[in-house]
């Protein structure tokens, strides 16, 4: 082409190239590019165009080829610059303003040039935008192909910030808005969507500039875009236009700081060793608008950096060397006292073997009918009164193996009832909850009405901070007694009186004087699991338009603060009609509530104590609601970029009236749920980052089950520290002390003055004979911890299941006790849990990043948990398995993270040869076993990579320093499952507890599969298996046969890896799809088809076919 001099051969070559490139794949074009095709075409263009009378027979096919090739050539803009092709194209375009066909071809070339931002900026300098505005006219049905191309070129040019600036200075914003209005109102048949879309795209690019946003608002852009779209929100065909409008409105919505006096937590705690308390981060009105203003025009050559992989530890020395002890060896001796089981002589036991076996099992076997000694009234826990716990069989009563045999748990799966299944629905349809289960409830209802309880009052039964009983306000105590008598409650492993006693010993930073009703009264899981909420199409759009309406139509805006931790209580006048909020109770953390409209409230969550961040967990009380009215709640200071709330997860609700009607339960609730970036920013000064931090809104609607109820709303099923302490006491009393060794002791005191419990569970020796004692002392250890992250209450429910199973009479539990000693720290961060934190301890730090070198004074629970593990190692009793229970906010199901050198190096594609590296692969067995056993568990989400950023987590430190090859993090979704028998269901507490018992069974099978497994255990297990019709055996075979099955090695990190779901809910989505290959290709193809006609083909419907000379 470059060497051809005569017209005929050039035409022929272009013809051949055109034919060659119009079929086949992109590979042909890439080949042409690699052989200098772009250069040849550009050279030909320049040569042809510079002649006195350019030959359009050559230019038109040439432009088509240029566009086609240029699209795929990343350096095309640069090449065009070098060949000075920009100028000649602009000149050609100017010459052909009235010749549509020629102009169209020039525009295609310009559009391809403009893909490069620097080239686009150059075009802008040379007057390309003025030229385009001459072409883009108000609504017409003529030359729409040209108008469309011109609009698209303009949009491409405006990606350059200098072009955008020029456009703002020349007043293009108002012109573009007028054009938008004009096309939008005239194009009633939606025939010219692409032009309308491109016009909006222009505005969106301009809105990237601060001056652009100002010009947009000054030109009434918010009002114009808002009103033009209001009447067509439901029109599916307008989808591309509406989504762009929404993006622009969100971009131009004025940014502001959160409506808080300070970003720091409302609670502060003076910690030892901290520097003088920092001044609170005061939030002031300031400039949030300069995001990226200074940025120069740059081509973003997308560098595909694998960020996750960068985080992988590739230093083999760091991976495989074992660091020394982090403390003086003699310090370890203090932990001897925490392992009394190794030294106890059990003198109370008689030496006759087998004595304990005749113990009357029935007395202890069934935990679910325990009369706790702690209840002074000796409440009659009549089984028949339990109206709705009955449908779901109590898990512990069926043996775990038989449940595995059935392939799933006993949890009743609801037929997928569709979205928004409301467990209260039956209650509502029968009036005030007169359930099918009969008279008891109606009796309760009667008394409920007679007494006309002030149920707001009973939600505050924590009897003052003083410890003495005499200080009890008598009425409250009597009220509670009366309530408990008239509304007998029976929740397994729970006792309200004991809870109150324990609550008095729980120390909070702000000295809570109240207890939340649900924690006090107890929770009984509803009879069926709840489906995930089906997301209604367009729900986010509606919510965002409602938010924008606050600015544009403020007539119904109330904006009244109705609750605030920062203001003296009480804030609300009792006469007003608004909802009442409260959160000063254990794990509660609502900081502020603002009534925005009559039925809409903005809520702000408190930051973690001594911190300015970590808002995710929430728990608060709300009362004074009206019946059958949908309230909208917006939690406006969330921080994560995405949330399971966008994918079917619902918050949880507890109704006091429902509880008094015999249904004390947390249930998933809420609809019209979505999660999106809002207009609140934190100033850069506070975060120390380059630009201000963004916030996200979680919005949900709730229709409360009863009027004038007292309800509690939470991120997930709450599980307080006091609940744990109550639970442990009841567990201890529930066991047969002749069979079960259950010891509860204090690992250490926390910074906040609470005891961190340590639990030891094993089987009592059959007698105190030397042989039996020796057997006990030789049992391997299993160490389980949980709840280092206080917002991960799901971890506590899994732990509850684990503890209850381990002390149960299930034969598997007995075998486990007889063969292992369990050391369990069920709550590593009591202070965080108590004070409503999501992530941190009272110092404001993440305790699961402190395992490398914890301090006895600053991170006592981590220091002593690690010390205990070191001690076990020092006496040669390194645990078989270490597992730390967590909750996961981005992924579904339950899964394990473990540690493997080889997998880490492979994943990182490390140059270090891994072939001669020997690694024990036993870390894979437990996840595989659990994959077969536990309905909620999936191997496919497990990962065994060691990340640099996780070097100080429990999992990595216990693996590396203690040499525990089976060191895990167990992650449970806050949401639910997308596989297995629970697919499509959200987790209830039953499923989480079941996971805890399945984890225990997994530990047994892991042992059976190990070479070190004792003959005796194998025999016992075999007997058990036969009794269970070899179901377990079957499972074992499946496990081993699948030993080589595919297990995806993912690059996700523990705790909170980035969300991998495909939907983008942020405001500044930068994917335009404007440069899609196929789209421009199609235009060109269409045109090429008509090229012989030599006339303009209009896109519009009918008419408009006109030849233009
Ligand atoms: Zn966690």
């Amino acid at each position: 082409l470059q060497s051809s001099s005569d017209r005929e051969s050039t035409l022929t070559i272009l013809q051949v190239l055109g034919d060659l490139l119009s079929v086949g794949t992109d590979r042909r074009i890439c080949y042409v590019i690699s052989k200098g095709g772009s250069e040849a075409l550009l050279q030909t263009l320049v040569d042809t165009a510079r002649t006195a009378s350019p030959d359009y027979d050559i230019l038109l096919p040439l432009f088509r080829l240029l566009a086609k090739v240029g699209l795929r050539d990343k350096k095309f803009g640069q090449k065009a610059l070098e060949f000075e092709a920009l100028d000649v194209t602009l000149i050609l375009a100017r010459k052909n303003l009235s010749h549509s066909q020629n102009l169209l071809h020039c525009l295609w070339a310009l559009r391809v040039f403009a893909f490069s931002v620097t080239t686009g900026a150059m075009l802008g300098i040379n007057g390309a935008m003025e030229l385009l505005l001459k072409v883009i006219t108000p609504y017409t049905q003529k030359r729409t192909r040209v108008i469309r191309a011109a609009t698209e070129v303009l949009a491409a040019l405006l990606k350059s910030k200098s072009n955008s600036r020029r456009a703002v200075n020349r007043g293009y914003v108002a012109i573009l808005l007028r054009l938008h209005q004009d096309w939008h109102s005239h194009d009633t048949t939606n025939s010219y969507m692409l032009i309308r879309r491109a016009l909006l795209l222009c505005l969106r690019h301009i809105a990237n500039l601060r001056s652009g946003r100002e010009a947009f608002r000054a030109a009434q852009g918010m009002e114009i875009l808002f009103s033009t779209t209001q009447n067509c929100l439901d029109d599916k065909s307008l989808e591309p236009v509406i989504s762009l409008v929404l993006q622009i409105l969100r971009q131009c919505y004025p940014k502001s700081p959160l409506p808080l006096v300070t970003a720091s937590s409302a609670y502060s705690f003076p910690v030892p060793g901290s520097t003088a308390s920092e001044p609170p981060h005061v939030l002031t009105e300031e400039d949030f608008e300069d995001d990226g203003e200074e940025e120069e025009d740059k081509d973003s050559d997308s560098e595909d950096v694998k960020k996750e992989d960068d985080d992988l530890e590739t230093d083999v020395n760091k991976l495989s060397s074992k660091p020394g002890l982090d403390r003086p060896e003699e310090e370890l001796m203090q932990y001897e006292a925490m392992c009394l089981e190794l030294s106890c002589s059990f003198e109370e036991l008689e030496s006759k073997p087998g004595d304990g076996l005749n113990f009357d099992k029935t007395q202890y076997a069934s935990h679910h009918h325990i009369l706790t000694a702690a209840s002074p009234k000796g409440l009659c826990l009549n089984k028949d009164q339990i109206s709705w716990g009955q449908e779901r069989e109590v898990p512990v009563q069926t043996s775990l193996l038989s449940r595995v045999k059935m392939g799933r748990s006993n949890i009743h799966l609801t037929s997928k009832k569709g979205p928004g299944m409301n467990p209260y629905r039956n209650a509502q349809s029968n009036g005030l909850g007169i359930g099918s289960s009969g008279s008891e409830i109606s009796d309760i209802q009667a008394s409920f009405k007679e007494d006309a309880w002030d149920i707001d009052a009973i939600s505050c039964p924590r009897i003052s901070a003083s410890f003495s009983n005499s200080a009890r306000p008598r009425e409250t105590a009597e009220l509670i007694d009366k309530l408990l008598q008239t509304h007998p409650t029976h929740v397994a492993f729970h006792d309200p009186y004991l809870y109150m006693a324990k609550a008095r010993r729980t120390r909070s930073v702000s000295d809570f004087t109240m207890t939340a009703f649900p924690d006090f009264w107890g929770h009984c899981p509803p009879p069926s699991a709840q489906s995930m909420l089906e997301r209604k199409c367009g729900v986010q759009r509606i919510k965002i338009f409602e938010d924008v309406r606050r600015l544009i139509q403020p007539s119904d805006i109330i904006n009244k603060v109705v609750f605030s931790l920062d203001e003296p209580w009480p804030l609300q006048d009792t006469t007003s009609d608004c909802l009442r909020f409260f959160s000063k109770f254990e794990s509660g953390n609502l900081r502020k509530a603002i009534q925005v409209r009559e039925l809409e409230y903005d809520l702000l969550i408190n930051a973690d104590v001594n911190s300015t961040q970590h808002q995710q967990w929430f728990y608060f009380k709300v009362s004074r609601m009206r019946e059958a009215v949908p309230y909208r709640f917006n939690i406006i200071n969330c921080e994560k970029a995405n949330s399971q709330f966008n994918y079917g997860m619902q918050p949880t609700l507890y109704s006091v009236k429902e509880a008094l009607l015999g249904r004390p339960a947390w249930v998933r609730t809420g609809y019209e749920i979505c999660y999106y970036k809002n207009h609140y920013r934190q100033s850069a000064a506070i975060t120390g980052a380059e630009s201000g931090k963004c916030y996200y809104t979680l919005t949900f609607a709730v229709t409360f089950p009863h009027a004038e109820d007292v309800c509690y709303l939470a991120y997930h099923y709450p599980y307080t520290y006091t609940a744990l302490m109550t639970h442990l006491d009841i567990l201890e009393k529930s066991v047969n002390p002749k069979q079960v060794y259950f010891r509860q002791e204090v690992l250490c005191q926390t910074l906040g003055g609470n005891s961190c419990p340590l639990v030891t569970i094993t089987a009592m020796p059959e007698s105190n004979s030397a042989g039996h004692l020796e057997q006990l002392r030789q049992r391997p250890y299993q160490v389980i911890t949980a709840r280092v992250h206080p917002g991960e209450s799901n971890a506590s429910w899994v732990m509850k299941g684990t503890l209850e199973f381990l002390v149960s009479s299930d034969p598997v539990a007995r075998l486990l006790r007889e063969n292992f000693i369990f050391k369990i720290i069920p709550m590593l961060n009591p202070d965080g849990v108590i004070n409503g934190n999501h992530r941190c301890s009272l110092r404001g730090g993440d305790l699961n990043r402190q395992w490398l070198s914890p301090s006895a004074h600053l991170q006592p629970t981590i220091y002593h948990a690690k010390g205990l593990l070191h001690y076990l190692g020092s006496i040669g009793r390194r645990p078989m398995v270490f597992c730390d229970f967590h909750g996961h906010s981005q992924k579904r199901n339950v899964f394990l993270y473990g540690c493997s050198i080889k997998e880490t190096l492979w994943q990182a594609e490390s140059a270090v040869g891994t072939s001669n590296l020997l690694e024990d692969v036993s870390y894979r067995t437990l996840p595989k076993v659990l994959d077969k056993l536990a309905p909620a568990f999936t191997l496919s989400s497990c990962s065994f990579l060691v990340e640099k950023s996780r070097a100080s987590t429990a999992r990595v430190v216990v693996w590396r320093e203690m040499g525990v090859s089976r060191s895990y993090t167990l992650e449970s979704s806050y949401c639910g499952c997308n596989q297995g028998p629970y697919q499509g269901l959200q987790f209830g507490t039953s499923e989480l507890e079941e996971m805890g018992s399945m984890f225990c069974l997994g530990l047994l099978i892991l042992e059976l599969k190990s070479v070190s497994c004792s003959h005796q255990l194998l025999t016992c297990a075999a007997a058990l298996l036969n009794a269970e019709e070899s179901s377990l055996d079957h499972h074992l075979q499946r496990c081993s046969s699948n030993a080589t099955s595919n297990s995806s090695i993912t690059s996700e990190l523990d705790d909170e890896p980035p969300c991998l779901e495909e939907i983008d809910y942020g405001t500044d989505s930068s994917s335009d799809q404007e440069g899609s290959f196929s789209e421009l290709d199609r235009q060109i193809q269409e045109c090429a088809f008509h090229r012989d006609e030599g006339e303009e083909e209009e896109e519009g419907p009918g008419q408009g076919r006109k030849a233009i000379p």
Side-chain angles (χ1 to χ4, degrees):
L1 190 62
Q2 276 166 311
S3 55
S4 89
S5 50
D6 68 306
R7 181 172 183 268
E8 284 311 310
S9 51
T10 305
L11 275 175
T12 313
I13 294 168
L14 290 174
Q15 171 79 41
V16 170
L17 275 174
D19 289 347
L20 274 175
L21 298 187
S22 61
V23 289
T25 62
D26 280 1
R27 274 184 35 209
R28 285 193 188 178
I29 298 176
C30 292
Y31 183 78
V32 169
I33 294 167
S34 71
K35 294 293 174 193
S38 303
E39 287 84 349
L41 292 171
L42 288 165
Q43 187 62 55
T44 313
L45 168 66
V46 172
D47 293 346
T48 316
R50 279 184 177 157
T51 54
S53 57
D55 185 344
Y56 287 94
D57 288 341
I58 292 179
L59 283 174
L60 296 194
L62 185 59
F63 273 129
R64 287 196 288 269
L65 274 171
L66 271 172
K68 205 170 259 239
V69 172
L71 271 178
R72 276 92 174 169
D73 185 350
K74 278 187 182 170
K75 299 240 161 70
F76 196 70
Q78 195 56 40
K79 290 173 185 170
L81 257 180
E82 284 161 15
F83 281 88
E84 298 174 353
L86 305 189
D87 288 343
V88 297
T89 311
L90 277 176
I91 291 165
L92 283 178
R94 280 200 191 95
K95 277 193 201 164
N96 285 286
L97 274 180
S98 56
H99 191 296
S100 300
Q101 191 67 357
N102 295 351
L103 181 56
L104 189 60
H105 282 75
C106 295
L107 291 172
W108 287 335
L110 288 175
R111 183 156 166 220
V112 177
F113 297 155
F115 275 129
S116 151
V117 178
T118 37
T119 314
M122 196 55 81
L123 282 170
I125 292 168
N126 293 337
M129 292 198 296
E130 293 81 348
L131 176 76
L132 294 168
L133 278 181
K134 281 184 197 156
V135 181
I136 305 169
T137 61
Y139 177 76
T140 169
Q141 290 185 354
K142 296 172 186 173
R143 304 185 76 201
T144 53
R145 198 187 278 265
V146 175
I147 293 172
R148 173 189 161 189
T151 326
E152 285 169 345
V153 177
L154 184 60
L157 289 176
L158 287 169
K159 277 194 294 190
S160 143
K161 292 217 163 106
S162 61
N163 284 345
S164 277
R165 247 188 298 272
R166 195 168 294 118
V168 173
N169 294 338
R170 293 183 184 172
Y172 289 0
V173 173
I175 296 174
L176 286 166
L177 276 168
R178 275 204 305 277
L179 285 168
H180 157 77
Q181 267 179 308
D182 190 64
W183 281 91
H184 190 84
S185 56
H186 287 97
D187 180 22
T188 48
T189 52
N190 296 339
S191 308
Y192 305 113
M193 289 292 293
L194 292 167
I195 295 176
R196 291 158 66 185
R197 189 171 170 274
L199 284 169
L200 289 168
L201 215 47
C202 292
L203 284 168
R204 216 203 68 190
H205 290 316
I206 292 174
N208 281 330
L209 289 186
R210 171 206 189 134
S211 55
R213 292 189 290 271
E214 282 166 357
F216 178 82
R217 290 191 291 260
Q220 305 289 301
M222 298 292 287
E223 290 79 357
I224 291 171
L225 291 198
F226 184 80
S227 59
T228 50
T229 40
Q230 280 314 291
N231 49 3
C232 53
L233 285 180
D234 299 328
D235 191 339
K236 275 260 192 282
S237 60
L238 280 177
E239 178 64 33
V241 165
I242 294 171
S243 69
L244 261 178
V245 164
L246 217 63
Q247 285 180 27
I248 298 167
L249 288 176
R250 294 173 76 181
Q251 237 169 337
C252 295
Y253 198 104
K255 308 288 178 285
S256 63
L258 289 169
L260 288 174
V261 284
T262 149
S264 316
S265 171
Y267 300 142
S268 67
F269 178 76
V271 279
S274 73
T275 49
S277 62
E278 289 176 46
H281 298 298
V282 179
L283 295 180
T284 47
E285 287 291 338
E286 59 172 291
D287 205 352
F288 294 94
E289 294 284 329
D290 46 16
D291 13 16
E293 178 84 0
E294 300 310 313
E295 218 177 290
E296 291 299 308
D297 285 335
K298 273 183 296 198
D299 283 325
S300 52
D301 274 334
S302 54
E303 293 167 48
D304 291 341
V305 187
K306 284 186 178 177
K307 274 201 171 166
E308 293 88 8
D309 284 5
D310 279 356
D311 189 33
L312 291 178
E313 183 58 77
T314 51
D315 183 338
V316 182
N317 286 329
K318 278 196 179 164
L319 284 170
S320 50
S321 76
K322 188 178 161 186
L325 196 58
D326 65 346
R327 63 195 82 198
E329 204 168 336
E330 55 273 19
E331 262 200 31
L332 294 182
M333 286 319 292
Q334 63 178 303
Y335 301 103
E336 194 179 355
M338 292 182 195
C339 298
L340 287 178
E341 62 279 3
L342 295 180
S343 53
C344 182
S345 58
F346 297 95
E347 273 157 7
E348 73 276 15
L349 292 180
E350 290 175 32
S351 55
K352 269 191 211 156
D355 212 32
L357 295 179
N358 298 327
F359 196 89
D360 179 10
K361 277 183 192 167
T362 55
Q363 188 181 340
Y364 291 99
S366 172
H367 292 137
H368 292 266
H369 308 286
I370 305 159
L371 272 174
T372 57
S375 57
K377 305 289 173 190
L379 284 179
C380 176
L381 301 176
N382 184 347
K383 196 176 163 190
D384 300 332
Q385 284 177 327
I386 310 162
S387 55
W388 81 332
Q390 291 301 303
E391 268 188 65
R392 190 201 291 252
E393 286 178 50
V394 181
V396 185
Q397 289 176 339
T398 342
S399 97
L400 195 60
L401 286 178
S402 60
R403 283 198 280 155
V404 171
K405 190 178 66 190
M406 293 187 303
R408 57 166 56 187
S409 81
N410 287 356
I411 291 167
H412 289 240
L413 305 176
T414 43
S415 51
K416 306 259 166 81
K417 278 185 191 166
M421 183 200 77
N422 182 353
Y424 289 135
R425 193 167 288 156
N426 293 335
Q428 281 173 327
S429 61
N430 294 338
L432 246 185
I434 306 172
S436 53
S437 46
S439 56
E440 296 85 7
I441 289 190
S442 54
D443 288 343
I444 292 169
Q445 188 202 3
S447 63
F448 181 62
K449 279 189 171 166
E450 269 164 35
D451 292 317
W453 298 106
D454 173 8
I455 56 172
D456 213 359
I458 53 163
S459 55
C460 322
R462 180 172 167 164
I463 315 301
S464 88
S466 131
F467 300 158
S468 84
N469 278 352
S470 59
R472 279 183 172 205
R474 186 171 275 273
E475 302 100 60
T476 316
E478 281 174 0
L479 180 67
I480 290 164
D481 284 350
K482 203 167 174 189
L483 257 186
L484 287 169
Q485 279 171 48
T486 50
H487 300 87
T489 169
H490 174 75
V491 177
F493 291 101
H494 187 78
D495 173 30
Y497 287 100
L498 185 59
Y499 191 92
M500 276 163 54
K502 290 282 178 190
R504 265 171 252 140
R505 274 180 239 151
T506 299
R507 305 290 181 89
S508 62
V509 168
S510 71
D511 213 5
F512 297 137
T513 53
M514 313 281 189
T515 299
F517 185 88
D519 302 318
F520 153 76
W521 195 261
H523 155 80
C524 208
S528 54
Q530 291 178 258
S531 312
M532 287 183 199
L533 186 70
E534 203 171 288
R535 188 180 165 108
K536 275 200 211 123
C537 179
V539 58
Q540 181 186 7
R541 165 169 309 174
I542 293 163
K543 299 295 167 186
I544 290 171
F545 272 118
E546 271 181 40
D547 290 353
V548 173
R549 200 161 58 79
R550 295 186 191 187
L551 196 71
I552 292 166
Q553 298 165 354
S555 57
D556 62 343
I557 300 300
I558 299 170
N559 259 346
K560 187 174 130 200
V561 178
V562 296
F563 171 76
S564 170
L565 289 182
D566 302 300
E567 326 269 336
W569 177 260
L571 199 89
Q572 291 163 311
D573 60 282
T574 45
T575 54
S576 79
D577 195 27
C578 65
L579 292 176
R580 288 178 65 115
F581 293 87
F582 190 70
S583 72
K584 285 184 168 184
F585 48 78
E586 196 176 339
S587 296
N589 68 347
L590 180 69
R591 177 164 185 181
K592 190 171 188 175
I594 303 164
Q595 185 179 21
V596 180
R597 297 186 177 99
E598 188 193 355
L599 299 173
E600 181 177 351
Y601 293 83
D602 277 358
L603 308 175
L604 290 112
I605 306 167
N606 196 16
D608 280 7
V609 177
N610 283 15
S611 138
T612 58
Q613 50 182 341
H614 306 298
Q615 297 92 248
Q616 185 173 340
W617 165 261
F618 61 86
Y619 184 17
F620 59 89
K621 179 176 107 170
V622 56
S623 56
R624 291 205 154 197
M625 59 284 288
R626 310 208 304 256
E627 197 167 6
V629 171
Y631 289 93
R632 178 181 170 187
F633 297 101
N634 312 304
I635 296 180
I636 60 172
N637 62 340
C638 302
E639 293 175 301
K640 293 238 159 161
N642 202 349
S643 165
Q644 283 290 318
F645 284 119
N646 274 332
Y647 308 99
M649 181 167 93
Q650 295 172 287
T652 58
L653 175 126
Y654 188 105
S655 152
V656 170
K657 280 198 177 176
E658 281 292 313
L660 296 180
L661 289 167
R663 294 182 289 269
W666 284 100
V667 290
R668 301 276 190 170
T669 199
Y671 49 96
E672 291 178 12
I673 300 174
C674 53
Y675 188 94
Y676 52 86
K677 192 189 274 181
N678 60 33
H679 69 280
Y680 292 107
R681 298 288 180 271
Q682 190 177 69
S683 88
I686 291 177
T687 51
E690 275 181 27
S691 60
K693 181 168 91 178
C694 302
Y695 289 100
Y696 296 80
T697 292
L698 160 65
T699 182
F700 56 94
V702 175
T703 305
F704 292 100
H706 304 281
E708 294 299 318
D709 194 358
V710 175
C711 289
Y712 290 79
L713 283 161
Y715 181 70
H716 196 76
Y717 311 97
Y719 190 97
T720 62
Y721 169 75
T722 305
L724 171 70
M725 299 311 280
T726 308
H727 186 195
L728 289 179
D729 266 21
I730 296 175
L731 266 186
E732 186 167 9
K733 290 186 185 98
S734 77
V735 301
N736 176 349
K738 294 198 173 173
Q739 291 182 338
V740 181
Y741 180 92
F742 183 103
R743 197 173 77 249
Q744 202 193 140
E745 62 201 304
V746 177
L747 177 73
C748 62
Q749 292 293 312
T750 65
L751 294 181
N754 294 292
S755 305
C756 177
L758 166 69
V759 176
T760 306
I761 299 173
T762 188
M764 288 296 274
E766 279 182 46
S767 76
N768 60 7
S769 71
H772 283 143
L773 288 182
E774 190 53 24
Q775 193 274 336
L776 187 156
R777 288 169 192 166
Q778 289 310 315
R779 293 174 194 164
Y781 277 90
Q782 309 273 13
V783 177
I784 310 173
T785 60
R787 206 75 190 277
V788 69
H789 292 143
E792 296 167 0
S793 60
N794 30 7
S796 278
W797 290 99
V798 177
M799 179 55 89
K800 181 171 183 278
T802 301
L803 287 166
E804 283 175 18
F805 181 74
L806 283 179
V807 302
S808 74
S809 54
D810 191 289
V812 169
R814 208 164 52 228
L815 269 185
L816 280 165
R817 288 192 301 264
E818 284 164 4
N819 288 281
F820 300 107
I821 303 172
F822 289 87
K823 286 281 175 196
I824 297 176
I825 307 171
M827 197 173 275
L828 275 168
N829 189 356
D831 293 344
V833 170
I834 293 164
N835 293 291
N837 283 5
H838 178 69
R839 188 85 179 168
C840 299
S841 73
L842 288 187
R843 290 183 76 238
D846 182 344
L847 289 179
N848 203 31
R849 296 293 183 278
Q850 305 288 347
W851 279 75
L852 270 180
S853 48
S855 141
H857 302 294
L858 303 179
Q859 298 94 20
T861 60
I862 305 302
Y863 182 83
H864 292 292
K866 193 178 173 184
L868 177 62
L869 282 156
H870 268 313
Y871 172 73
L872 290 176
S874 75
I875 58 169
R877 308 300 299 276
R878 189 166 75 188
M880 301 263 299
V881 169
F882 169 81
C883 191
D884 190 23
F885 292 175
H886 283 253
H888 204 290
S889 67
Q890 305 286 7
K891 296 173 86 177
R892 311 283 177 89
N893 312 307
V894 181
F895 49 94
L896 283 173
Y897 289 125
C899 302
S900 157
I901 299 177
K902 277 200 166 185
E903 292 194 19
T904 305
L905 292 177
W906 282 333
Q907 180 71 23
E909 287 163 9
S910 167
V912 183
T914 52
S915 51
N916 52 1
L917 201 99
L918 285 176
E919 187 174 42
D920 175 8
V921 292
S922 59
Y923 65 89
R924 306 214 85 185
T925 315
L926 183 62
K928 281 180 190 159
V929 168
L930 289 175
D931 188 56
K932 303 295 169 216
L933 293 176
F937 192 91
T938 176
L939 183 60
S940 64
S941 292
C942 296
S943 166
F944 307 96
L945 305 178
V946 182
E947 306 86 350
K948 288 177 203 158
S949 61
R950 316 289 148 163
S952 200
T953 60
R955 163 179 64 103
V956 175
V957 169
V958 172
W959 169 72
R960 210 160 78 83
E961 294 190 24
M962 282 81 173
V964 177
S965 64
R966 298 184 201 89
S967 173
Y968 302 105
T969 302
L970 180 84
E971 297 276 3
S972 306
S973 171
Y974 284 106
C975 181
C977 288
N978 58 8
Q979 54 80 47
Y982 301 154
Q983 183 168 21
L985 298 177
Q986 298 182 77
F987 279 141
T989 53
S990 313
E991 289 85 337
L992 294 168
E993 291 190 49
E994 177 195 67
M995 185 61 228
S997 51
M998 291 295 178
F999 181 81
C1000 298
L1001 175 57
L1003 292 178
L1004 181 69
I1005 295 178
L1006 176 69
E1007 175 65 8
L1008 294 178
K1009 288 166 78 74
S1010 82
V1011 281
S1012 62
C1013 182
S1014 76
H1015 181 70
Q1016 197 195 355
L1017 176 56
L1018 278 175
T1019 321
C1020 290
L1024 197 57
L1025 296 183
N1026 288 337
E1028 293 291 341
E1029 299 172 31
S1030 70
S1031 64
L1032 188 56
D1033 201 33
H1034 172 64
H1035 272 282
L1036 282 172
Q1037 286 192 345
R1038 272 170 63 198
C1039 292
S1040 50
S1041 66
N1042 285 358
T1044 51
S1045 75
N1046 63 323
S1047 51
S1048 71
I1049 301 167
T1050 57
S1051 57
E1052 291 132 8
L1053 312 177
D1054 79 334
D1055 290 338
E1056 315 288 344
C1059 179
L1060 298 176
E1061 308 225 31
E1062 70 284 10
I1063 311 172
D1064 175 28
Y1065 287 101
T1067 39
D1068 341 286
S1069 143
S1070 56
S1071 59
D1072 297 336
Q1073 298 112 32
E1074 57 189 302
S1076 98
F1077 291 177
S1078 52
E1079 181 47 36
L1080 189 53
D1081 275 353
R1082 200 180 55 76
Q1083 285 185 52
I1084 297 166
Q1085 207 74 37
E1086 260 174 42
C1087 182
F1089 180 72
H1090 294 292
R1091 67 190 166 192
D1092 298 331
E1093 300 167 29
E1095 49 176 59
E1096 169 90 349
E1097 179 77 15
E1098 294 293 341
E1099 289 175 82
Q1103 50 185 325
R1105 293 196 173 213
K1106 231 182 209 174
I1108 292 171

